[in-house]
Amino acid sequence: MPFIPHTEAEAREMLDTLGLSSMEELFAEIPECIRAKPLEKVPEGLSEMELMRLMRERAAQDESGLRSFVGAGAYEHHIPSAVWELATRGEYYSAYTPYQAEASQGTLQTIYEFQTMIAGLTGMEVANASLYDGGTALAEAVLMAVRAHKGKSQKVLVPESVHPAYLRVARTFCGAQGVTLESVPFQEASGTVDPERLGGDDNEYAALVVPQPNFFGRLEAVEELAAWAKARGALVIAVVNPTALALLTPPAEWGADIAVGEGQPLGLPMSSGGPYLGLMATTKKLVRQMPGRLVARTVDTDGKEGFSLTLQAREQHIRRAKAKSNICTNQGLAMTAATIYMSLVGEEGLKQVAGMSHTNTRRLVEKLTAIDGVERRFDGPFFHEAALRLPRPAAEVGGALLDRGVLGGFDLGREYSDLGDTLLVCATETKTEADLDAFTEALAEVL
């Protein structure tokens, strides 16, 4: 469908017909708080030449040569060259499934393989390929749990140690539908949730969200938290990192009913903030509550193997009132890249990536905490991120590190007012001993 904007003369004619003086007057009935603001850093219309120049300048910023130790939801992993050489072949340029979906067997097989690998990583029985990112995946999981809850509760418990951006997305998605997300504080010493301090009666909550690892990189007592939820009739929503799942117990084994997460670590580059890829897996029992579409392997009337859209509970396919969600992009290109990445590295390769990431972060923490005034903010095991308390505000330290060519971590004070002196650092398998030493030397100079 072509985009045909109105000319100024046409807009003026429309306003005159309506007896209005301006566009602002036309939209006056829309509350100011929900009206879209001008997009920051997005310029007005540009010529092709100006646009290409701007794109080159911004792309160059992604290759600044800085050593990055920032995680906080987006992780720098090595991406084998073959991933995007294959994903950007012409066959995948239109990875969106057509309306005659079964005519696109290659696309359906790719989705099927992706679903199968995500189900394998999480240990769950069913996975889809339909979500924008980790935040929307969590929001859809909350709505799934509310629909499926036998007690018909509209309340869900969410620890403060869940990724803050995910939580904001979930509140935006679910708040307008009458769902309440109640916060669960983390412990001051450990940065994790204490299962014994959770309150609530039977069937009071539809679900408990359990991040593993949590936003601070810490490992939660997932089995105890899941047991607490099960004992009170609540479902368990796991928020997981797919790389970590190569080493950690799959959520299905510790009691999760729904597992969601961000697929960016699986072969997607850190490209100025996206695109990302939402992951979701669940049990057969809840499959009809799952948003999006599912692809399955089958045989035709001649016994030949093929792939078919099997479940499509969106408004495009069924009555709007019966739809579970209208989300169904399948993030085709990102999903294709993730499928190729997982196929290339395999189970053992993913374990190596996870193991090296954990080892490098542990080594980094050892080096940084040897500096006077630097200490771990939370006790206990972590995966590939750790929170460090500094003797100066983390925002100041981060700026000074940047001047020395180091992206030194995420300032937790941006999200937690009482953690302004805490830096969340991350080291993946991409970091060498020289990188760790360079960060250590830079931080020692800054402090």
Side-chain angles (χ1 to χ4, degrees), residues 339-375:
T339 305
I340 296 170
Y341 174 87
M342 288 188 284
S343 301
L344 286 175
V345 301
E347 183 178 347
E348 287 304 314
L350 200 58
K351 284 182 180 177
Q352 290 178 17
V353 170
M356 291 174 64
S357 297
H358 173 67
T359 300
N360 280 345
T361 303
R362 198 178 67 239
R363 291 278 299 137
L364 179 64
V365 170
E366 290 172 355
K367 288 173 181 287
L368 297 183
T369 53
I371 300 171
D372 286 344
V374 180
E375 60 183 7

Side-chain angles (χ1 to χ4, degrees), residues 128-311:
N128 69 10
S130 305
L131 298 156
Y132 297 120
D133 52 29
T136 53
L138 174 59
E140 292 286 356
V142 167
L143 295 177
M144 272 182 69
V146 169
R147 289 194 297 267
H149 188 239
K150 293 180 179 177
K152 302 303 178 186
S153 171
Q154 295 279 96
K155 297 193 297 184
V156 172
L157 283 173
V158 186
E160 293 176 349
S161 54
V162 168
H163 195 304
Y166 293 9
L167 186 53
R168 284 194 289 273
V169 171
R171 288 191 191 286
T172 302
F173 256 62
C174 306
Q177 300 191 46
V179 177
T180 302
L181 302 183
E182 292 190 6
S183 295
V184 180
F186 56 83
Q187 299 178 89
E188 176 73 15
S190 68
T192 59
V193 173
D194 181 0
E196 296 184 358
R197 303 184 71 173
L198 291 174
D201 299 324
D202 291 354
N203 287 319
E204 181 175 352
Y205 296 102
L208 169 68
V209 177
V210 180
Q212 182 72 335
N214 68 23
F215 186 60
F216 307 127
R218 289 279 289 108
L219 302 185
E220 298 276 0
V222 291
E223 293 182 353
E224 289 84 347
L225 291 169
W228 177 92
K230 300 291 183 185
R232 288 159 182 78
L235 298 176
V236 177
I237 300 171
V239 179
V240 296
N241 177 306
T243 305
L245 289 179
L247 296 180
L248 303 179
T249 304
E253 294 185 19
W254 48 261
D257 300 286
I258 308 168
V260 297
E262 171 55 57
Q264 179 273 330
L266 303 175
L268 305 187
M270 299 169 71
S271 302
S272 300
Y276 283 0
L277 170 65
L279 311 178
M280 174 178 278
T282 188
T283 61
K284 287 183 180 177
K285 184 178 178 182
L286 296 178
V287 68
R288 288 195 170 275
Q289 300 299 334
M290 182 177 255
R293 298 179 293 189
L294 298 180
V295 175
R297 187 169 62 185
T298 184
V299 292
D300 64 13
T301 54
D302 297 324
K304 296 179 181 177
E305 186 177 90
F307 299 89
S308 172
L309 284 183
T310 303
L311 186 68

Side-chain angles (χ1 to χ4, degrees), residues 77-96:
H77 288 293
H78 171 68
I79 301 173
S81 299
V83 171
W84 285 94
E85 284 295 323
L86 294 171
T88 51
R89 283 173 60 96
E91 296 93 318
Y92 296 119
Y93 278 174
S94 181
Y96 195 93

Side-chain angles (χ1 to χ4, degrees), residues 373-388:
V374 180
E375 60 183 7
R376 283 190 60 193
R377 178 63 178 77
F378 302 119
D379 299 326
F382 55 86
F383 173 52
H384 67 355
E385 282 178 286
L388 301 180

